[in-house]
Amino acid sequence: AKGTLLTMASYQGTKVDEWRDEQPGKIMHEIRYGELAGTNQVPFTPYYGTIDATPLFLLLAAEYFHWTGDAALIRQLMPNVDAALEWIDRYGDEDGDLFVEYVQKSSKGIANQGWKDSADSIVHADGEYAKAPIALVEVQGYVY
């Protein structure tokens, strides 16, 4: 958990970059290496198209402290924690409706940005694909 927290904090978003779906305070979804990434043909260097990684980062930090009592690490991570909380309020809820939702901005990013990120994973009861912005129920629970 400590290694994960430190790694995620080191890659935390610092700017608005639509190619990578990056925003200040946002925790990354994944990072790739290789020819396509190295030549910027895909945005995964790292890629931030995820709605749940940021609140899960916060939950992991809280649970890590709960289990270990390692206040020194939490103090070290406080700028990252503050940035993640700011991301939830500013970018996670861009329309101000008090739901954290996502919209894919990268032309080569991931359309469904929760843990069920396959292209056909978010559908209505009638089988129609959901259209962004999408506010996944589990993410609302994480944030709450």
Side-chain angles (χ1 to χ4, degrees):
K2 182 177 182 177
T4 298
L5 286 166
L6 290 169
T7 300
M8 295 297 109
S10 73
Y11 284 102
Q12 188 172 32
T14 59
K15 63 185 180 284
V16 173
D17 179 350
E18 290 190 358
W19 172 242
R20 290 183 174 74
D21 280 322
E22 179 181 358
Q23 297 157 334
K26 195 172 189 182
I27 299 298
M28 74 169 176
H29 172 69
E30 67 180 283
I31 191 166
R32 295 185 189 176
Y33 303 95
E35 187 174 328
L36 293 177
T39 58
N40 206 33
Q41 294 180 59
V42 295
F44 301 96
T45 59
Y47 179 63
Y48 294 84
T50 173
I51 196 65
D52 49 11
T54 304
L56 288 171
F57 170 81
L58 295 167
L59 289 171
L60 179 60
E63 283 299 308
Y64 175 82
F65 178 74
H66 171 79
W67 283 90
T68 67
D70 186 353
L73 180 66
I74 300 305
R75 278 191 295 277
Q76 178 185 340
L77 292 174
M78 279 312 296
N80 305 97
V81 167
D82 289 340
L85 290 167
E86 174 67 20
W87 176 84
I88 288 170
D89 289 341
R90 182 171 179 190
Y91 296 99
D93 182 19
E94 288 185 3
D95 61 5
D97 65 355
L98 302 179
F99 289 100
V100 177
E101 62 268 329
Y102 63 87
V103 175
Q104 172 192 348
K105 296 186 178 177
S106 176
S107 62
K108 292 197 177 181
I110 297 171
N112 290 321
Q113 297 186 358
W115 69 271
K116 300 172 285 188
D117 64 2
S118 64
D120 60 354
S121 64
I122 310 298
V123 295
H124 294 284
D126 66 1
E128 182 183 345
Y129 292 143
K131 293 178 179 54
I134 297 173
L136 300 174
V137 67
E138 60 269 26
V139 173
Q140 311 319 306
Y142 303 152
V143 171
Y144 177 79

